Amino acid sequence: GADEALDDTSIGTTFVTRDSADGLAVLPLVAALYSMDGSFVSLLNVINEIILCKDRLSRQHSAFRVGVAYHIECDVSIGQLQYSSEVPVFFDLYLLDESSGSSILHPIPVLIENYINERGERVNQGSDAGQWQLVKRFFLYENVYTGSGQIRIATRMQLIVRLNSDGNIFPPYLRIHYDVVNNAAEASFGVSYLQGQMSFDLGMGITTAILSVAAFVYVGFLANGYMRRSGTFFCEPKTFIYLIVQSCYYLATVMFVVLVFGCTFWLLFFKIQSTLITTLLSESQEVVFEALLGLSFSFQVLYVVWLLWFQSQVEIFLLDWERPRGNQTGKTGAENSVTMAPVSIWRTYFIANEWNEIQSLRKINPVLLLFLVTLILQVLGFGNLATRDPRVEFFPSEEDYVADHSQIIRFSLTALSFLFTAVLLRVYTVWVYERFIEHKTQQFVDLCSVSNVSIFIFSHMRFGYYIHGRSPHGQADTNMKEMCRNLKNEAVKSLFGLNVVIF
């Protein structure tokens, strides 16, 4: 059957991703050419003879480089093909194996996708290789004039190479789709390297399951703390909502961590390999990656929506410790009255305004973060490592073929760039900027002390934060001279302790 031919393990050649004496870095394809009557014409080493779309020879040399996911598309003029002077040619494709000391030609099977058997079934469009009907000979196009103005052309060609073991492969096979066209046609040719993904899916599933269980246990502890702080019970809707949202958040974190480590594994092992031992997942095999990424993003969006609602429920109280200084006289009807002088509200307004300004304060500057990530990926050339080939080139030449980008490698590079830059900026902010330039949170606490205003922040019914801003001088609503004297005493004589944020 077809599956037996495709699972043949007799190819002993070792394939490598870089030019080396340990193996071949180019697929040694040999084509036998036949005329319409079946007569043998010639035998040639394949460079670009089976590719309808022509490009620079330097780029098409990469078509059969080991590990390179080659793809090219073009528009083909039917008139030029139909009336060309070339004799119609049929191809038999072989893989040359010289590992045993003698030259052996292993036939490369051809799978015609739109083949219809005698029962009218398109058996080659299914995924069951046991039902496939493979052939040996194929053609690229008909260039014999038939009077109908239509010709049959191979519009899609895909050479599939499957890995067997370290450096060895199963017999490749060629997928072809023929179409009957009138004027022009879109043709494409590609080379794909496939590897079983069962171990990858299994590893991702086990890791996600273990980390998810740990996340659920941790969310249970968080829910217990939430109930104590909020004064609610487990059966109340608020507790259920909190439990669901926190579960979504930590599941999203688990998925993101698994994706980063899994994609980084593909990045490192695919790019640094010298012997062909692993390949990237094909676009059809990236379903698990796309599903985990989509779920992680959706759960994070849900958490952000809940977080905005939660922050809008926080209650904030500003306590002014300032006491009236002296009395004031006034008239109440016909009589004079003496009352305490009112305390100015402007200090409290000023503290409230400063509180609003620091709501968007972050340890990491998002604009600088995006700038540095763009610098790493685009200017330094790390983004060019996302191609579907084992080459490590930060600035590829325009003369060379550049493969399409892989979603997995691109995600890994982007995530690692963001994480590295974020950690770098966080360290700079904490150890340099806040130590030697300014610490805006501490400045706000100092401002509360100078203004003689404390702040109560109640995030839950039974839990909150307190900024002790009561001035050690007793009075803050004073003139400039007295304020300077108080600050000088505090700085020079160290008469008073530091203000702290109490949790």
Side-chain angles (χ1 to χ4, degrees):
D3 50 353
E4 296 179 358
L6 296 176
D7 293 336
D8 183 21
T9 59
S10 60
I11 299 178
T13 302
T14 300
F15 293 94
V16 296
T17 58
R18 295 172 179 83
D19 294 327
S20 171
D22 298 330
L24 296 180
V26 179
L27 293 176
L29 299 182
V30 177
L33 277 61
Y34 295 87
S35 62
M36 288 188 63
D37 59 2
S39 301
F40 176 76
V41 177
S42 64
L43 194 68
L44 56 84
N45 294 320
V46 175
I47 299 178
N48 62 350
E49 288 78 8
I50 62 174
I51 304 177
L52 279 176
C53 300
K54 302 305 179 182
D55 198 358
R56 294 179 181 177
L57 196 58
S58 59
R59 294 180 180 177
Q60 291 201 321
H61 277 164
S62 300
F64 304 111
R65 293 281 302 182
V66 173
V68 177
Y70 183 83
H71 182 79
I72 187 173
E73 296 180 355
C74 66
D75 293 328
V76 178
S77 173
I78 304 304
Q80 294 179 355
L81 298 180
Q82 189 173 21
Y83 299 107
S84 64
S85 59
E86 297 179 2
V87 177
V89 173
F90 292 87
F91 295 88
D92 282 0
L93 206 57
Y94 299 92
L95 181 72
L96 178 62
D97 181 13
E98 298 179 326
S99 59
S100 61
S102 59
S103 298
I104 301 176
L105 293 177
H106 295 274
I108 294 180
V110 178
L111 178 71
I112 301 177
E113 294 180 344
N114 47 348
Y115 165 78
I116 302 176
N117 63 9
E118 62 275 5
R119 291 177 294 182
E121 299 174 342
R122 297 181 179 271
V123 294
N124 289 347
Q125 292 186 353
S127 58
D128 185 7
Q131 302 296 325
W132 288 351
Q133 180 64 51
L134 302 177
V135 296
K136 183 179 180 182
R137 189 163 297 179
F138 68 95
F139 64 92
L140 298 180
Y141 58 89
E142 299 173 333
N143 63 346
V144 178
Y145 181 70
T146 60
S148 63
Q150 297 178 336
I151 67 171
R152 184 176 288 106
I153 182 174
T155 54
R156 292 199 306 270
M157 300 181 64
Q158 188 80 12
L159 182 65
I160 309 296
V161 183
R162 297 178 303 135
L163 265 65
N164 179 12
S165 58
D166 293 352
N168 298 120
I169 62 173
F170 292 107
Y173 66 96
L174 184 65
R175 299 180 68 102
I176 301 179
H177 182 89
Y178 287 102
D179 283 319
V180 178
V181 296
N182 294 320
N183 298 318
E186 294 183 357
S188 65
F189 180 87
V191 180
S192 298
Y193 291 81
L194 300 182
Q195 186 179 29
Q197 62 170 348
M198 183 178 298
S199 58
F200 174 75
D201 292 344
L202 182 62
M204 294 277 284
I206 293 176
T207 305
T208 304
I210 294 176
L211 293 179
S212 298
V213 171
F216 280 123
V217 173
Y218 183 66
V219 169
F221 286 105
L222 292 180
N224 181 56
Y226 176 80
M227 289 187 292
R228 289 188 289 105
R229 293 178 176 184
S230 302
T232 58
F233 298 97
F234 183 77
C235 57
E236 295 188 23
K238 288 180 61 177
T239 306
F240 272 112
I241 293 175
Y242 179 84
L243 190 63
I244 293 174
V245 170
Q246 292 296 326
S247 298
C248 290
Y249 171 72
Y250 284 100
L251 278 178
T253 304
V254 165
M255 294 177 188
F256 179 78
V257 170
V258 170
L259 285 177
V260 170
F261 278 95
C263 294
T264 303
F265 163 82
W266 288 108
L267 168 65
L268 295 178
F269 283 89
F270 179 71
K271 287 294 183 178
I272 67 175
Q273 64 180 341
S274 57
T275 301
L276 187 63
I277 59 176
T278 185
T279 64
L280 293 175
L281 298 180
S282 65
E283 294 181 359
S284 61
Q285 292 176 326
E286 292 178 349
V287 177
V288 176
F289 165 78
E290 294 173 353
L292 289 178
L293 185 60
L295 284 176
S296 178
F297 177 78
S298 302
F299 288 164
Q300 287 285 5
V301 170
L302 177 63
Y303 176 76
V304 169
V305 173
W306 175 86
L307 185 61
L308 292 175
W309 173 85
F310 174 77
Q311 291 180 345
S312 66
Q313 305 301 310
V314 175
E315 296 183 349
I316 303 172
F317 298 90
L318 280 71
L319 177 61
D320 190 351
W321 295 96
E322 194 74 14
R323 294 182 179 182
R325 303 182 68 174
N327 299 324
Q328 66 178 6
T329 59
K331 284 189 176 183
T332 304
E335 299 180 357
N336 294 329
S337 61
V338 178
T339 58
M340 290 186 297
V343 177
S344 174
I345 193 62
W346 289 106
R347 289 174 295 102
T348 306
Y349 283 165
F350 184 69
I351 293 297
N353 179 69
E354 293 299 318
W355 170 263
N356 287 330
E357 288 185 359
I358 66 173
Q359 295 308 297
S360 59
L361 181 64
R362 301 181 61 175
K363 291 286 187 181
I364 299 173
N365 188 324
V367 177
L368 182 58
L369 175 64
L370 293 176
F371 171 77
L372 292 178
V373 170
T374 305
L375 180 70
I376 292 173
L377 295 178
Q378 300 298 325
V379 179
L380 299 183
F382 280 87
N384 294 324
L385 299 181
T387 54
R388 289 180 172 272
D389 59 67
R391 295 181 302 175
V392 180
E393 294 185 4
F394 294 97
F395 303 100
S397 172
E398 294 183 357
E399 300 294 328
D400 297 334
Y401 173 76
V402 179
D404 295 334
H405 281 195
S406 166
Q407 292 189 59
I408 290 178
I409 296 184
R410 184 165 55 185
F411 173 80
S412 175
L413 289 171
T414 305
L416 291 177
S417 299
F418 265 98
L419 291 175
F420 170 77
T421 308
V423 170
L424 188 64
L425 291 178
R426 181 68 180 239
V427 171
Y428 168 77
T429 301
V430 174
W431 293 96
V432 179
Y433 187 83
E434 292 182 346
R435 280 173 172 260
F436 304 106
I437 301 177
E438 63 174 348
H439 194 310
K440 292 186 177 182
T441 306
Q442 186 60 49
Q443 287 177 353
F444 178 75
V445 175
D446 294 338
L447 180 62
C448 291
S449 177
V450 173
S451 302
N452 204 17
V453 175
S454 295
I455 302 180
F456 289 93
I457 307 151
F458 292 99
S459 58
H460 302 78
M461 183 180 297
R462 298 181 180 178
F463 178 82
Y465 304 89
Y466 171 64
I467 299 178
H468 184 60
R470 187 170 186 176
S471 175
H473 311 292
Q475 297 288 337
D477 194 1
T478 182
N479 55 41
M480 181 65 72
K481 181 178 180 180
E482 186 176 350
M483 179 67 71
C484 290
R485 183 170 62 251
N486 292 338
L487 294 176
K488 183 177 180 180
N489 290 336
E490 186 175 351
V492 177
K493 299 181 181 180
S494 301
L495 297 178
F496 309 101
L498 296 175
N499 298 283
V500 297
V501 181
I502 302 176
F503 298 90

